[in-house]
Amino acid sequence: MKYYKMKVAFLSDFFDSEIVGGAEKNDSVLINHLKTKFELDKVHTYNLDPLIDKYDFFIVSNFIRLSPACKEALIKRGNYIIYEHDHKYVASRNPAAYVNFKAPEDQIINKVFYQSALRVFVLSSVCKKVIEDNLALTNVHNIACSLWSKENLKLISILSTETQKKYDYGILNSTNGIKGTAIALDYCRNKSIVPRPIMSPSYPDFLKQMAECEKFLFFPQVLETFSRVCAEAKMLNCDVMTNSKMIGFFSEEYSSLKGIELINKISDNVDQALLSFEEIIIL
């Protein structure tokens, strides 16, 4: 295993030890992989200023707390990539609010920051199209997946093959309004459905709850750049009932797969994605 002595800063507003979100789970897998290849530090965006000259390369994940001065410094250096999770090029962070996901020019933000990156990595085909349409970018690379560790994909595989279905419908029990739990509950009431709420701070328990459901109802209120939860549902042999145009995962052809076939495909995509990040850093 070749090790490169480049010093890499992985920038984010938060890391997985501080907040449990899809972006942070994604980042954790990438960080753990790149630590085997480079001298990599996790750096909070709001702490970058005094450290910026210490590093050879920067991976920019969520960056709401990155100062304008640090953005300008990175633009001048040009030695960074953006790992795009949630539409930080639109002021509302919701391109779904606009016709064909195309925001008015006065709602576009961070345009030069995206244009100046060596690559902008996105998670799905629809998000590649949307960001290109809004920013006229030519540096976008679609990795066509979210990132899971081999251990978690093995756990999903076991649950997929060994868990008995006990419930007809499950919904994500989230307090985050953009995840559409209230909409899903209204749908269930109108259809006389009694859903199983799926929620647990324990990831294995969360997956087990989902695996026990025949169908998963999910009605997000923003364009999901991928939607780990929808991919997990299908890997766990659940049918997903949603607005597929709002889900990045469903813009990928392989989203028609289910169970072990889908797990194997996502595992292959994760391997290729990690290699793509590694290769752009050493260019």
Side-chain angles (χ1 to χ4, degrees):
M1 182 182 295
K2 193 169 184 179
Y3 184 83
Y4 303 94
K5 291 186 178 179
M6 293 177 65
K7 292 191 69 66
V8 177
F10 196 104
L11 306 180
S12 188
D13 297 330
F14 301 99
F15 294 98
D16 66 334
S17 60
E18 302 161 314
I19 187 171
V20 181
E24 290 74 28
K25 289 177 182 177
N26 246 300
D27 289 352
S28 178
V29 176
L30 180 56
I31 288 166
N32 288 337
H33 172 75
L34 294 179
K35 275 189 171 182
T36 69
K37 305 292 182 178
F38 306 97
E39 292 183 34
L40 184 143
D41 293 334
K42 296 190 293 185
V43 179
H44 286 103
T45 48
Y46 50 85
N47 286 335
L48 177 61
D49 192 23
L51 303 172
I52 197 165
D53 293 325
K54 178 180 175 182
Y55 296 100
D56 304 309
F57 199 89
F58 301 85
I59 301 168
V60 183
S61 181
N62 284 334
F63 61 87
I64 296 301
R65 303 172 79 179
L66 186 65
S67 72
C70 283
K71 287 180 195 173
E72 285 298 323
L74 290 172
I75 288 169
K76 288 179 182 178
R77 286 167 168 78
N79 57 343
Y80 68 97
I81 60 176
I82 296 175
Y83 189 19
E84 176 58 28
H85 293 300
D86 57 3
H87 317 292
K88 287 177 291 297
Y89 51 91
V90 179
S92 67
R93 291 166 69 180
N94 183 21
Y98 310 106
V99 176
N100 296 323
F101 301 119
K102 182 71 167 65
E105 191 62 34
D106 65 358
Q107 293 300 302
I108 297 296
I109 59 175
N110 295 314
K111 187 171 185 176
V112 176
F113 191 53
Y114 281 91
Q115 289 175 331
S116 302
L118 285 173
R119 290 286 188 282
V120 177
F121 284 82
V122 298
L123 309 181
S124 63
S125 295
V126 68
C127 286
K128 183 175 190 293
K129 183 179 189 309
V130 170
I131 197 170
E132 287 175 341
D133 287 349
N134 278 284
L135 301 184
L137 297 182
T138 58
N139 58 346
V140 182
H141 176 73
N142 174 26
I143 63 172
C145 65
S146 188
L147 302 179
W148 284 266
S149 67
K150 293 296 184 186
E151 293 77 13
N152 281 337
L153 287 175
K154 183 177 180 181
L155 171 62
I156 292 170
S157 179
I158 292 169
L159 291 171
S160 177
T161 55
E162 296 184 1
T163 306
Q164 296 296 313
K165 300 295 185 186
K166 297 180 181 178
Y167 305 92
D168 291 333
Y169 295 91
I171 63 168
L172 183 66
N173 188 9
S174 173
T175 58
N176 186 343
I178 67 173
K179 297 302 181 183
T181 296
I183 306 299
L185 286 170
D186 284 343
Y187 177 91
C188 291
R189 279 191 288 267
N190 291 335
K191 300 288 185 180
S192 298
I193 292 170
V194 179
R196 183 193 195 186
I198 299 170
M199 180 181 69
S200 176
S202 163
Y203 186 59
D205 187 50
F206 176 87
L207 293 174
K208 187 175 187 301
Q209 290 179 28
M210 179 175 285
E212 291 175 341
C213 298
E214 292 280 359
K215 298 179 177 66
F216 177 63
L217 305 177
F218 185 55
F219 302 114
Q221 301 303 293
V222 301
L223 175 62
E224 293 267 329
T225 52
F226 188 77
S227 183
R228 292 174 68 88
V229 73
C230 284
E232 286 164 345
K234 289 211 71 182
M235 286 192 281
L236 293 166
N237 287 303
C238 304
D239 294 324
V240 177
M241 298 175 63
T242 188
N243 179 356
S244 60
K245 291 182 179 179
M246 294 285 281
I247 306 290
F249 166 65
F250 286 109
S251 70
E252 299 299 329
E253 288 187 9
Y254 73 80
S255 64
S256 61
L257 301 176
K258 199 175 180 182
I260 297 300
E261 281 187 304
L262 179 57
I263 295 167
N264 290 339
K265 173 60 178 173
I266 285 179
S267 180
D268 290 343
N269 280 24
V270 170
D271 289 343
Q272 184 56 54
L274 295 175
L275 182 61
S276 295
F277 279 104
E278 183 183 336
E279 289 176 339
I280 192 65
I281 294 171
I282 62 175
L283 274 181

